[in-house]
Amino acid sequence: MIATIGASALRTIATERAGLDALHAAVGNGLAAPFAAAVEMIRAASGRVIVTGMGKSGHVGRKIAATLASTGTPSHFVHPAEASHGDLGMIQPEDVVVALSWSGETAELAAIVGHTRRFRVGLIGFTSNADSALGREADVALILPKAEEACPNGLAPTTSTTMQMALGDALAVALLEARGFSRQDFYVYHPGGKLGAQLKTVASIMHQGERLPIVGAMAEMADVVAMISAKSFGCAIVIDAEGKLAGIVTDGDLRRKLGAGWGGRLARDVMTADPRRITPDALAVEALEMVNRMRVTALIVADAQDRPVGLVHVHDLLNLGVA
């Protein structure tokens, strides 16, 4: 039984992979030009991308709309069956419609397609049939290659929806790259969850001001130890006479260097010079990578003049949910 089910899974994945291979080949053999035209049409539009499709194509369309919206291309989904009952008002002349229909003859799309022709709204079609109604009417027709469905009856949309999804992802990524959409831009649309945590900047999570355990290079070790104890970060940031970062004194330094007592020594005598630091505009995920790679528990945040302006502790990153 397990072997039979495993064989079915392998056959399904192999069939869908063959469809993706065919799509990959199509981009290198004619599909690239209309794909580029679709990207340029969306880039030039001052409105939004309206994605539509019926049935399984509609479910794929919702995902494509969500991916576009989250990567800097304003977009939403309009259900084709609702369009003729008032939702056509969601589509404006400055928008671009992306319609998905494997056959290209989905009857429920007629109202939206007709609306785009009447009001000169840009229409991009995802279909496997160039001679279909959608293929003929679209300003840009993205013709997907014919492919075998993974369903043994050849009926349930499987390979076809995988190909539509992949082409939609390719469209979103091409637009993202064309617009220079950065990781900081990405955070604007993904403030929640682990991804949002990773995209937070160090400046937004660092301890600063009175919370910083800062001592001068000439501070006596009794004062340094008192500062470490008072601020509870396990370290003291050492600055020079100009307020620039000089070093750090950690609990480990105290154990290693003060076993026989501090005997008149100063912070500069015990500190580790050139400590690990990070800039305020760095991402939290970069801070996590540094503490893991360097095996430290805290990073000093320094500005462009190398003045300490904050401190990030590994506990801050763990509590944030970056790890």
Side-chain angles (χ1 to χ4, degrees):
M1 180 67 175
I2 293 176
T4 301
I5 293 174
S8 174
L10 290 172
R11 184 175 63 252
T12 297
I13 293 170
T15 303
E16 296 200 7
R17 183 173 61 187
L20 291 176
D21 287 341
L23 179 60
H24 185 274
V27 173
N29 187 32
L31 186 56
F35 182 83
V39 171
E40 289 306 311
M41 175 181 287
I42 294 173
R43 286 189 66 194
S46 59
R48 300 153 300 171
V49 175
I50 311 299
V51 186
T52 188
M54 195 68 190
K56 303 302 183 292
S57 291
H59 294 305
V60 173
R62 289 182 187 276
K63 190 274 180 184
I64 292 173
T67 300
L68 288 168
S70 71
T71 52
T73 300
S75 177
H76 68 257
F77 180 83
V78 171
H79 195 288
E82 300 290 343
S84 58
H85 294 275
D87 284 3
L88 284 174
M90 296 181 180
I91 305 171
Q92 299 299 309
E94 61 270 19
D95 296 335
V96 172
V97 171
V98 175
L100 284 69
S101 171
W102 187 253
S103 69
E105 299 291 353
T106 304
E108 291 86 351
L109 285 177
I112 290 181
V113 171
H115 184 80
T116 64
R117 304 304 79 188
R118 178 182 178 187
F119 294 101
R120 298 185 179 181
V121 179
L123 176 61
I124 298 169
F126 281 31
T127 181
S128 66
N129 187 358
D131 294 326
S132 65
L134 180 59
R136 293 192 307 269
E137 294 294 337
D139 298 299
V140 177
L142 300 180
I143 307 302
L144 290 88
K146 302 287 187 180
E148 178 187 0
E149 298 286 13
C151 168
N153 298 316
L155 298 174
T158 45
T159 306
S160 57
T161 49
T162 298
M163 294 167 69
Q164 288 176 327
M165 186 83 76
L167 190 60
D169 285 343
L171 186 63
V173 171
L175 287 162
L176 178 156
E177 293 175 343
R179 291 191 168 117
F181 195 77
S182 69
R183 296 171 77 178
Q184 296 291 354
D185 296 324
F186 205 78
Y187 173 65
V188 173
Y189 301 108
H190 300 78
K194 183 174 180 178
L195 181 57
Q198 291 177 335
L199 293 173
K200 284 184 180 293
T201 61
V202 167
S204 71
I205 62 172
M206 69 183 185
H207 301 276
Q208 53 190 312
E210 293 297 321
R211 288 287 295 134
L212 294 182
I214 293 180
V215 298
M218 302 300 291
E220 295 182 359
M221 284 308 301
D223 295 328
V224 175
V225 173
M227 178 63 75
I228 293 175
S229 298
K231 301 300 183 179
S232 303
F233 290 116
C235 66
I237 302 168
V238 184
I239 58 174
D240 62 20
E242 298 179 349
K244 293 186 177 182
L245 183 60
I248 188 171
V249 178
T250 67
D251 286 335
D253 292 325
L254 299 180
R255 291 192 299 272
R256 288 187 297 270
K257 300 177 182 180
L258 297 177
W262 45 73
R265 284 191 283 180
L266 306 176
R268 68 180 184 182
D269 303 321
V270 180
M271 72 182 189
T272 299
D274 192 28
R276 313 301 185 189
R277 73 260 274 172
I278 195 168
T279 59
D281 59 350
L283 298 178
V285 68
E286 296 177 56
L288 177 66
E289 187 278 330
M290 288 182 66
V291 297
N292 286 337
R293 173 167 48 86
M294 298 173 178
R295 298 183 181 278
V296 296
T297 58
L299 289 174
I300 298 169
V301 185
D303 63 16
Q305 288 73 45
D306 207 27
R307 298 177 186 274
V309 295
L311 183 143
V312 176
H313 195 275
V314 64
H315 290 163
D316 302 319
L317 299 170
L318 295 176
N319 291 336
L320 187 65
V322 174

